[in-house]
Amino acid sequence: MIPAGIDTSALLTMLGLIAAVWAVVPSTARLSFRLSLNWFDWLVIWAALLIIHGFFFEPVLTTLGFPTFGPWLWGFDKSTTQYLLFLLLAAFVYWRSRRTRLTRWNLGLFDNLTTSLLHAGKHEELADLLQRHLASALDLAASKSVRSHLANAIRPPRPGFQVVFQDDGSITLGAGAPTSWLFRKWFSFREWLADLVGPSQRVQRRAASVVKRLLSSRRLVGHLAIARPYLCMEVMERATRVEEGFQDEFFDALLANEASVFYSELKNNDNFGKSGHRLALPDENRLVRFYCVDVDVAARLGVFRSVGEAVLARIDADEVLEKKLNGPLLTFQYVGKYHDPVHAGIWFFRIMVLEGLHQRVADHLWLHYMPHFARRLVDRAREVRPEDENHEFPTPLAYLLYEVVDATAVWVRDAEVLTKPGDVLLPDQRKGNHIHISFEAAEAIGRVIQDILMSPRVPRRLKGELLGVALTTLRNLEQREHLAALARVMRAHLIEPYGFQKQDNYLDILKQCFDEQDHVRRACLERFSEELDAARGAAL
């Protein structure tokens, strides 16, 4: 009897299907697939394929003397077993593709894949890849693990000569290195062993180069800021060490898009906390909490510069924003401000600096951006119109000036809830229960008021109201004896702000606006009036 032939039609169908699919899969998807699998995964895949082929060629293997698989159990036969193995293999590949970890062994593939996606403009695919691997890439770029320390201990010392690491793994010893063959072999062996134990310097440099190239892409960072803001937040501290401008681009992109998480979180922070004007930090406001729960993080990362410069750039260069800010107020005070980049920047500073004050941080957190905001705003304001005197805030820009003054005044006023009668407070005090930020704000508010009063583009009524906010704060300080030092600093800088020049007419304008204040308020500020008159007399 002639034995039946081996039916390989099912096998050919499956192999043809795999080949056809692989042929039409984009190169980036192929790289992603290869990145998902390490040498052990490939061992499992090839072992499963060999077993499956073993079932197909069982008659041949039996003839050659290989043992058979024995009697079938639990109702399985050869066909169902082949199908089950294919199913398990597909499930294994899918599972491994979701649990890929970036290592020094597949860093080259990651480099090629991210380069392809970046230059092809596939930012969403790249963002998904970075969601899984950016933290690992940053870890490779600055490895501080136990294995890394052990590798450094194994790596040979090289005083007096340079070592050049090539991308292909070879090592070239520079001038001054010993020429002994034995030394060079021993040196290369120790380097190889160190690379086997932990990431080499070559790997760290390449990882840093990959991360720097990705995070320096303005378009990619803009996409990540909107689509993956919390990924950026999680890696921010390490990312800024590799690419210094990453945080700046991140906040610039957040402010440029009204739908970003930055606007929604700041709107959700419009509520008071436990004491004073301190604002609560809800758990869902993850980005704001990252910087403000421990304000030392904000100080260390310099977020005030990133936000401050982004706001100033929008004021200076955004013509559409300028037109909107100089238009009618309408509902800006209650609704529109939550979609405005300038208000977002002011409100973020308000939250951050208040947290710094209440956490007793001995750093002004660059609250002195407030005078810059005020100066740029008045420079972009339109000419005053007669009807402006009939409105409290004739334009959104006028309302933003109020927010600048009010935020700066709040940092001064909260000194009241953080101190008690009998406390000795000094401007240069940085330890203990100090109010360093309040003293800094008392200096900054003078410059804010000067820019507003000196501008011909600010209505007279608005000048009086904004000066009134500052004077009310000063009056409250003077009514508390233990805050006399703070009141003295505020009086001095309202009269002579830093950068004050005696040749301008600021003191005359200040005197005129002060005389137009409510008589009760002026009566409570006799010392301020006396010092203002003395300064005007000295300037003559």
Side-chain angles (χ1 to χ4, degrees), residues 183-251:
F183 172 84
R184 290 175 178 268
K185 288 297 182 183
W186 176 242
F187 189 95
S188 299
F189 173 75
R190 290 181 65 178
E191 284 286 354
W192 172 83
L193 184 60
D195 289 354
L196 196 64
V197 172
S200 67
Q201 296 177 7
R202 182 176 59 258
V203 170
Q204 291 179 359
R205 284 200 301 272
R206 185 168 189 181
S209 175
V210 172
V211 173
K212 186 176 181 65
R213 186 185 66 250
L214 294 172
L215 299 187
S216 61
S217 170
R218 187 181 182 91
R219 292 180 62 189
L220 175 60
V221 174
H223 180 82
L224 291 176
I226 305 304
R228 302 285 201 284
Y230 297 129
L231 167 65
C232 299
M233 177 196 75
E234 290 168 3
V235 301
M236 186 64 71
E237 191 149 3
R238 288 175 293 168
T240 50
R241 295 195 195 107
V242 178
E243 174 52 41
E244 198 172 312
F246 174 66
Q247 184 175 248
D248 299 338
E249 296 292 347
F250 174 67
F251 277 100

Side-chain angles (χ1 to χ4, degrees), residues 94 251 393-394 481 492:
Y94 175 79
F251 277 100
F393 305 116
E481 185 177 351

Side-chain angles (χ1 to χ4, degrees), residues 25 63 104 129 143 148 199 214 261 287 305 417 435 437 498:
V25 168
T63 303
R104 50 189 164 147
L129 188 68
S143 181
S148 178
L214 294 172
V261 70
L287 183 62
R305 185 196 65 249
V417 300
I435 51 170
I437 285 178
Y498 50 80

Side-chain angles (χ1 to χ4, degrees), residues 27 38 46 54 77 96 165 195 240 255 298 357 372 422-423 440 503 525 528:
S27 60
N38 58 30
W46 284 112
D77 58 13
R96 284 298 302 149
F165 298 93
D195 289 354
T240 50
L255 283 171
L357 176 61
H372 295 294
D423 286 347
E440 293 286 339
Q503 58 266 31
L525 293 168
F528 175 81

Side-chain angles (χ1 to χ4, degrees), residues 271-321:
N271 41 62
F272 286 101
K274 295 180 180 179
S275 61
H277 295 82
R278 188 180 189 180
L279 297 171
L281 299 174
D283 292 339
E284 59 270 23
N285 286 11
R286 293 168 57 188
L287 183 62
V288 175
R289 286 181 62 84
F290 171 74
Y291 286 104
C292 296
V293 165
D294 180 4
V295 177
D296 286 334
V297 174
R300 186 167 62 250
L301 295 179
V303 68
F304 38 80
R305 185 196 65 249
S306 300
V307 176
E309 293 302 321
V311 171
L312 293 176
R314 296 302 301 275
I315 296 174
D316 287 342
D318 195 331
E319 300 296 334
V320 175
L321 176 64

Side-chain angles (χ1 to χ4, degrees), residues 255 261-270 285 288 338 343-345 347-349 351:
L255 283 171
V261 70
F262 192 54
Y263 286 93
S264 60
E265 287 198 7
L266 290 174
K267 182 180 180 180
N268 198 34
N269 259 109
D270 191 6
N285 286 11
V288 175
Y338 295 116
H343 179 269
W347 202 252
F348 180 78
F349 267 87
I351 297 168

Side-chain angles (χ1 to χ4, degrees), residues 326-359:
N326 283 305
L329 184 67
L330 300 177
T331 60
F332 182 85
Q333 185 175 351
Y334 305 103
V335 179
K337 66 181 181 180
Y338 295 116
H339 306 283
D340 181 76
V342 182
H343 179 269
I346 295 170
W347 202 252
F348 180 78
F349 267 87
R350 183 180 183 123
I351 297 168
M352 177 182 63
V353 177
L354 274 172
E355 283 299 314
L357 176 61
H358 284 261
Q359 293 177 29

